[in-house]
Amino acid sequence: MKALEGVKILDFTHVQSGPTCTQLLAWLGADVIKVERPGVGDATRKQLVDVPGADSLYFTMLNHNKRSITLNSKNATGKEVLERLIKTCDVLVENFAPGALDRMGFTWERIQELNPRMIMASVKGFGPGKYEDCKVYENVAQCAGGSASTTGFVDGLPLVTGAQIGDSGTGLHLALGIVAALYQREKSGRGQKVLTSMQDGVLNLCRVKLRDQQRLAAGPLTEYSQFGDGVPFGDATPRAGNDSGGGQPGRILKCKGWETDPNAYTYFITQAPAWEKICDLIGEPEWKTKKGYAKPSERLDKLNEIEQWTMTRTKFEVMDLCNPLDIPVGPILSMKEISEDEGLRATGTIVEVDHPERGKYLSVGCPIKMSDSPVEVTRSPLLGEHTEEILTQVLGYSASDFDRIKASGAISDQKAAAAE
């Protein structure tokens, strides 16, 4: 039995933030019914296409373990089907533009009339306020949520991160809100609205930078390299390069081969409990008591000297030497190295999936491991692949009803072949 077995999710999401949320719920056992426009589907099906005639990796990697139904919600018969879906499902997840559901005739009040136990979960760019109607994408969210202004080097441009903290990060937050609402419903018997804005989600992940903003009132941030370099602080949290962000000095150091390998680096932290071991390992035992070396606050610039040692070792050799001594380091792994990591494949963090149109491809697996709710990652659905199955087996329509709905134009004329 899966953790969310028996929970039905009506998935009105598209692109990344919402599909991240619903895919995670599907991995945990929910039955996710993805509603898509007939003949078109989720926009990402045809974005960044690498295999002609096949759904893109953008779509497939965000929509595992789901079923797809095509439905024209502007069609009168389509609205009838949608009402039946709302009555049947437990959660409706959407990331439409603000007011889109209302214009379709499905206000929160109407949804409650149809199903008082329904949980309606939404992703928006901004929360209520002057920007609530603005459209937001990943990098916009990173900029508005405080990430970009605090990422990069102090003398350079603000930078966005390659981690999709705006889209996927917000989807993860929303999934937690949905599970909490389902738990509360067990006691209250009522559904509720769950809202996560992308700006809020990014800011939640940037909390240590908000911490530092307040610490500036007490003086310079001494754990920043900027302090050791004698660069004055302004009135806002600055960009900190590769500083550790915590109380222990640390940053990225070059390793052997860095001249030709863009990822021949390691992250190295001069943590206080490990300092004496570090000194012995790199052949500098006198540093343990040497003036200007003994305190953590004095070691920021000493990382340059430690780098002379790491440059004589590969990043994996540094890991092999430091790990047994509890010295915290981490090799900078490329996506190629991660995709080939047998350990990540063994734990299901990286999975190989077979798709009827594109063949085998790699994807991320479920990042949450539960002993009593194992996850098997199944391929994403073809457009409308499960339309007849959902109408007849989930909603209870007869074969003649299905023919009537199809004739009305409420569903696609194309019946996607189920892949075996």
Side-chain angles (χ1 to χ4, degrees):
M1 182 176 180
K2 301 292 183 69
L4 296 180
E5 192 168 314
V7 175
K8 284 187 169 53
I9 309 289
L10 182 54
D11 184 2
F12 262 111
T13 69
H14 54 283
V15 190
Q16 186 179 163
S17 58
T20 297
C21 168
T22 52
Q23 177 172 260
L24 183 58
L25 299 174
W27 280 337
L28 297 179
D31 180 10
V32 176
I33 298 171
K34 186 176 180 72
V35 180
E36 301 186 75
R37 288 182 296 164
V40 179
D42 189 314
T44 59
R45 283 186 182 270
K46 301 306 175 188
Q47 286 184 1
L48 306 177
V49 170
D50 60 314
V51 176
D55 289 330
S56 71
L57 286 168
Y58 197 1
F59 176 84
T60 59
M61 293 176 67
L62 285 162
N63 291 281
H64 292 119
N65 296 62
K66 302 178 184 180
R67 297 195 279 180
S68 170
I69 176 176
T70 56
L71 187 64
N72 181 357
S73 58
K74 297 179 180 179
N75 175 292
T77 306
K79 288 183 184 295
E80 169 203 318
V81 174
L82 180 52
E83 287 189 358
R84 201 151 173 168
L85 281 165
I86 290 172
K87 291 176 181 178
T88 303
C89 292
D90 299 281
V91 184
L92 186 156
V93 190
E94 60 90 17
N95 60 343
F96 291 128
L101 270 179
D102 292 356
R103 291 189 292 274
M104 289 166 55
F106 292 95
T107 62
W108 170 236
E109 292 73 22
R110 177 58 180 152
I111 290 171
Q112 282 186 305
E113 288 176 8
L114 294 168
N115 184 353
R117 291 174 56 83
M118 173 65 78
I119 293 161
M120 188 175 82
S122 304
V123 173
K124 301 302 175 195
F126 294 94
K130 60 181 178 179
Y131 298 124
E132 63 183 305
D133 292 330
C134 295
K135 194 165 187 175
V136 174
Y137 290 96
E138 170 66 44
N139 290 350
V140 174
Q142 289 193 31
C143 293
S147 174
S149 70
T150 55
T151 302
F153 290 90
V154 68
D155 57 351
L157 291 171
L159 292 177
V160 296
T161 172
Q164 303 291 282
I165 62 175
D167 275 321
S168 289
T170 305
L172 295 173
H173 282 94
L174 187 66
L176 175 60
I178 290 170
V179 171
L182 286 167
Y183 181 78
Q184 185 174 359
R185 192 181 71 174
E186 291 301 303
K187 295 177 286 186
S188 70
R190 299 192 309 274
Q192 62 181 296
K193 290 194 289 185
V194 179
L195 170 67
T196 303
S197 83
M198 294 172 69
Q199 182 186 41
D200 292 359
V202 170
L203 178 56
N204 187 47
L205 298 175
C206 292
R207 65 182 66 188
V208 298
K209 299 303 182 180
L210 184 60
R211 172 203 68 189
D212 291 348
Q213 178 63 43
Q214 297 170 86
R215 292 174 57 233
L216 272 173
L221 305 173
T222 58
E223 78 281 9
Y224 279 49
S225 293
Q226 177 177 337
F227 177 77
D229 294 340
V231 179
F233 284 79
D235 60 359
T237 305
R239 293 183 274 288
N242 289 314
D243 292 345
S244 72
Q248 304 296 333
R251 65 176 175 83
I252 291 175
L253 304 181
K254 297 172 183 174
C255 291
K256 187 176 181 179
W258 68 272
E259 299 92 340
T260 56
D261 182 352
N263 295 298
Y265 295 83
T266 189
Y267 205 95
F268 202 104
I269 300 176
T270 57
Q271 192 175 35
W275 177 242
E276 293 190 359
K277 296 176 183 178
I278 293 171
C279 296
D280 290 335
L281 177 64
I282 67 175
E284 300 287 355
E286 71 278 4
W287 285 7
K288 297 175 188 178
T289 55
K290 186 176 179 179
K291 184 178 179 180
Y293 285 76
K295 297 178 182 178
S297 59
E298 298 173 325
R299 296 180 198 142
L300 264 176
D301 58 341
K302 308 310 183 291
L303 287 161
N304 295 328
E305 300 179 61
I306 294 172
E307 188 172 53
Q308 299 307 306
W309 177 81
T310 62
M311 288 169 65
T312 66
R313 310 286 196 281
T314 69
K315 61 188 179 184
F316 297 111
E317 289 171 340
V318 172
M319 184 73 170
D320 291 342
L321 290 167
C322 290
N323 188 56
L325 301 174
D326 293 326
I327 299 171
V329 297
I332 307 304
L333 297 179
S334 69
M335 281 296 154
K336 182 176 186 296
E337 290 168 322
I338 288 173
S339 67
E340 295 170 352
D341 190 303
E342 292 301 322
L344 294 177
R345 293 189 181 215
T347 61
T349 301
I350 294 286
V351 295
E352 187 174 76
V353 184
D354 199 7
H355 190 276
E357 295 177 337
R358 66 178 305 113
K360 293 185 183 298
Y361 66 94
L362 289 184
S363 184
V364 296
C366 184
I368 300 169
K369 310 297 193 283
M370 299 174 66
S371 62
D372 284 358
S373 186
V375 175
E376 178 188 357
V377 176
T378 61
R379 67 168 176 82
S380 60
L382 303 178
L383 178 59
E385 179 176 344
H386 304 96
T387 298
E388 183 173 0
E389 175 182 302
I390 291 167
L391 289 175
T392 57
Q393 297 178 21
V394 177
L395 300 184
Y397 283 107
S398 65
S400 59
D401 285 332
F402 174 77
D403 291 338
R404 171 181 62 85
I405 294 168
K406 184 175 180 179
S408 74
I411 59 177
S412 176
D413 289 334
Q414 173 194 1
K415 180 180 178 182
E420 296 296 338

